[in-house]
Amino acid sequence: MTTTELLNILNENKDISFTKILEKIPDITLIDYLEMLLETHHTTKAQIIKTSTLDRTYAYQIFNGKKNPSQNKIVMLALAFQLDLHDTNVLLTLSKNQNLYAKIKRDALIIFAINHQYDVLKTNELLDEYGFELLN
């Protein structure tokens, strides 16, 4: 079931069998989603970690579920994967971080960077140019 289909069911039906709905929603963790991204992007942890510029040990701990990363660290991974805004926000949600919101100035710059497939370095240059905290 797609997210759109699920939202339509939740919005339209007043008498919902939540048991049936909940059975259709998979239990997904940040680790599961990262593994799925590695598979669908045909890449490796090592390649993503290098591109993300995260500390190697810390990044492997994220992938293994030993660290709960900050919003900045997740954005760095999203940039390394070249994710779109939707998938970036899914990662942020699964890591229990706030989603990017276009009406927050720093977030707006990050969203621009994501939409234009900037890497971490170029995103940090953009943030620095406008006086905002860098990702790392």
Side-chain angles (χ1 to χ4, degrees), residues 72 103-110 123-136:
N72 284 345
K103 288 189 175 184
I104 297 173
K105 292 177 183 179
R106 182 174 183 269
D107 285 3
L109 292 173
I110 295 170
T123 303
N124 276 336
E125 288 172 357
L126 179 66
L127 291 169
D128 186 51
E129 180 181 345
Y130 289 94
F132 289 100
E133 174 192 353
L134 303 182
L135 292 173
N136 48 359

Side-chain angles (χ1 to χ4, degrees), residues 33-48:
Y33 201 71
L34 288 170
E35 290 294 330
M36 186 268 310
L37 289 172
L38 289 170
E39 198 173 303
T40 59
H41 285 81
H42 308 290
T43 191
T44 64
K45 289 177 190 175
Q47 290 170 320
I48 291 300

Side-chain angles (χ1 to χ4, degrees), residues 2 60 97-98 112 127:
T2 67
Y60 275 107
N97 282 293
Q98 182 177 345
F112 178 87
L127 291 169

Side-chain angles (χ1 to χ4, degrees), residues 42-130:
H42 308 290
T43 191
T44 64
K45 289 177 190 175
Q47 290 170 320
I48 291 300
I49 290 168
K50 182 178 179 181
T51 306
S52 74
T53 72
L54 287 167
D55 173 75
R56 191 172 140 273
T57 302
Y58 186 84
Y60 275 107
Q61 289 174 336
I62 293 170
F63 277 96
N64 295 330
K66 293 180 182 173
K67 291 286 184 183
N68 190 24
S70 67
Q71 183 189 48
N72 284 345
K73 305 298 185 205
I74 291 295
V75 168
M76 293 168 74
L77 287 172
L79 291 168
F81 275 110
Q82 293 188 326
L83 299 181
D84 61 15
L85 180 59
H86 174 267
D87 286 337
T88 299
N89 279 333
V90 169
L91 271 182
L92 288 166
T93 298
L94 291 173
S95 65
K96 297 176 178 55
N97 282 293
Q98 182 177 345
N99 286 353
L100 295 171
Y101 183 57
K103 288 189 175 184
I104 297 173
K105 292 177 183 179
R106 182 174 183 269
D107 285 3
L109 292 173
I110 295 170
I111 291 168
F112 178 87
I114 288 167
N115 289 339
H116 290 86
Q117 297 187 329
Y118 282 19
D119 62 11
V120 173
L121 179 61
K122 194 168 179 179
T123 303
N124 276 336
E125 288 172 357
L126 179 66
L127 291 169
D128 186 51
E129 180 181 345
Y130 289 94

